[in-house]
Amino acid sequence: MSDNQRPVSRFPIPERLDDLPQDIRERIEKVAEKTGFIPNVFLALAHRPDEFRAFFAYHDALMERPSNLSKAEKEMIVVATSAANDCLYCVVAHGAILRIRSKNPRLATQIAANYRRAEITPRQRAMIEYALKVALDSARIDESDWQPLYDHGFTQEDIWEIGAIAAFFAMSNRLANMSALCPNDEFYTLGQ
């Protein structure tokens, strides 16, 4: 159960970390040591070890690699697309990360509610607009969608990265929604 007594997920979560494969247990313990709690997504995926490893490997490849996008900008993409996909878990969890990385306690709420009115640059607005098209209407993307990004100095590699983050979190949003993944209470106050 989460702190607010709702189940973490519709699916099983481990009763004890000691029952998990060592690499997964160590990753969860490292995150818990850094944050002071275990984000529920780690528990929800832990019952499927191969998927846990694949999910976090791709997550890290996108979100942790050096890039022309700042870590805060990557989180802006996650928050905007997760809001469009109605994913409570990802909006709350990544909203907390965005507040911390942007050092702006208002930004995550603004982006989730209406990115067009958020305290962001025109460059970041173009980035979010493209990410939303990837998340919601990817079959209609063509080269004309890239021009606003080029106009703001994004490269083709940056465009791939924006799209890959949006696509990865579209999958994550669907997993969180189908499993009724409950956000940790701790996320609501981080970075406020």
Side-chain angles (χ1 to χ4, degrees), residues 42-143:
F42 287 84
L43 297 174
L45 290 172
H47 82 285
R48 299 182 65 93
D50 290 340
E51 292 171 44
F52 179 104
R53 291 179 188 105
F55 180 93
F56 285 108
Y58 196 41
H59 171 278
D60 293 352
L62 292 170
M63 302 300 285
E64 301 300 329
R65 71 182 278 279
S67 154
N68 290 329
L69 302 179
S70 71
K71 287 188 175 190
E73 288 172 332
K74 291 177 183 185
E75 295 298 336
M76 288 178 199
I77 294 167
V78 179
V79 172
T81 58
S82 295
N85 287 320
D86 296 323
C87 182
L88 178 65
Y89 184 87
C90 292
V91 168
V92 172
H94 289 275
I97 298 167
L98 176 55
R99 287 191 299 273
I100 292 166
R101 291 194 167 154
S102 69
K103 298 176 178 45
N104 181 340
R106 298 176 303 278
L107 190 56
T109 303
Q110 292 172 355
I111 288 175
N114 182 354
Y115 74 92
R116 293 170 199 87
R117 304 270 319 263
E119 299 168 12
I120 58 176
T121 67
R123 176 184 182 275
Q124 292 164 338
R125 189 167 290 108
M127 173 190 75
I128 290 172
E129 287 170 353
Y130 180 71
L132 286 167
K133 190 158 184 183
V134 171
L136 301 172
D137 198 18
S138 62
R140 289 183 175 69
I141 291 173
D142 62 33
E143 286 71 19

